[in-house]
Amino acid sequence: MIREMLLEDYEEVKELFYEVHNLHLENRPDIYKDGNPLPLKYFEELLNDKENLNYVYILDNKVVGVLTSDIKTTLDNYIIKTRKICFIESLGVKENYQHQGIGRKLYEHLKNEVKSKNIDAIELNVWGFNENAIKFYKSLGMNIKNIKYEDTNL
């Protein structure tokens, strides 16, 4: 079952954020540091911001999937058009529940919600090392918008 995220979900959502954070920490210790990836104050801000769309997937009476997103409007300038974007900040499924369609259901739920809000696109960032996520997003029909390169051999 998918429903809006509630304050009472904090501990379970934080657990899931730790799983995702540990993956990032393991693969990019040059960028990420050990710590709480979801402080209570930030979680409360997510819930209180009316531009955020936050959902949890409940299975076996526990949170096993989470999607947080933010509606953003790009600024119009002399070469860029104004666009309304739903930016996925986080989409994660507990490791033991992956490959059961939960992430896809959360994404489809979001997609259905934003269709009525004059949204131009759904966007997200994914780390280049996260091949499973890249494969998953492609399976949803998402396309590469841009690619960011780095050189850390300085």
Side-chain angles (χ1 to χ4, degrees):
M1 168 185 81
I2 297 173
R3 65 163 169 75
E4 287 189 25
M5 193 181 298
L6 304 171
L7 186 58
E8 297 80 45
D9 298 322
Y10 174 68
E11 289 299 327
E12 290 181 285
V13 171
K14 183 172 78 169
E15 225 177 90
L16 211 153
F17 269 62
Y18 265 106
E19 281 188 25
V20 173
H21 180 64
N22 287 335
L23 175 69
H24 293 148
L25 185 60
E26 179 182 319
N27 286 278
R28 291 306 306 255
D30 59 318
I31 294 175
Y32 287 94
K33 54 185 176 180
D34 204 4
N36 180 0
L38 188 64
L40 180 58
K41 183 177 180 188
Y42 175 69
F43 184 74
E44 290 171 338
E45 289 170 4
L46 282 177
L47 297 180
N48 291 328
D49 188 335
K50 300 302 177 211
E51 293 299 313
N52 289 346
L53 300 171
N54 305 305
Y55 305 107
V56 291
Y57 193 99
I58 306 295
L59 189 63
D60 302 328
N61 292 317
K62 57 186 169 189
V63 173
V64 298
V66 64
L67 187 151
T68 64
S69 67
D70 187 16
I71 307 292
K72 300 178 180 196
T73 302
T74 62
L75 298 178
D76 191 298
N77 68 28
Y78 60 96
I79 60 169
I80 304 288
K81 294 179 179 182
T82 297
R83 298 178 72 223
K84 201 169 180 183
I85 306 299
C86 178
F87 189 84
I88 296 176
E89 300 288 347
S90 180
L91 174 55
V93 176
K94 284 188 168 269
E95 189 174 5
N96 294 342
Y97 290 88
Q98 292 178 1
H99 307 291
Q100 297 180 28
I102 293 169
R104 179 175 299 278
K105 288 175 185 170
L106 281 164
Y107 178 79
E108 292 298 331
H109 182 81
L110 175 70
K111 193 171 180 177
N112 287 333
E113 290 293 313
V114 300
K115 282 182 180 178
S116 65
K117 297 182 183 295
N118 271 348
I119 303 294
D120 296 300
I122 296 174
E123 296 182 357
L124 56 82
N125 289 328
V126 61
W127 284 100
F129 68 78
N130 198 341
E131 293 176 13
N132 288 335
I134 292 167
K135 183 177 166 185
F136 170 68
Y137 297 130
K138 284 182 180 179
S139 80
L140 294 175
M142 296 187 92
N143 299 304
I144 295 172
K145 176 183 174 185
N146 57 19
I147 297 174
K148 191 177 197 177
Y149 287 93
E150 72 176 339
D151 182 352
T152 59
N153 298 314
L154 305 176

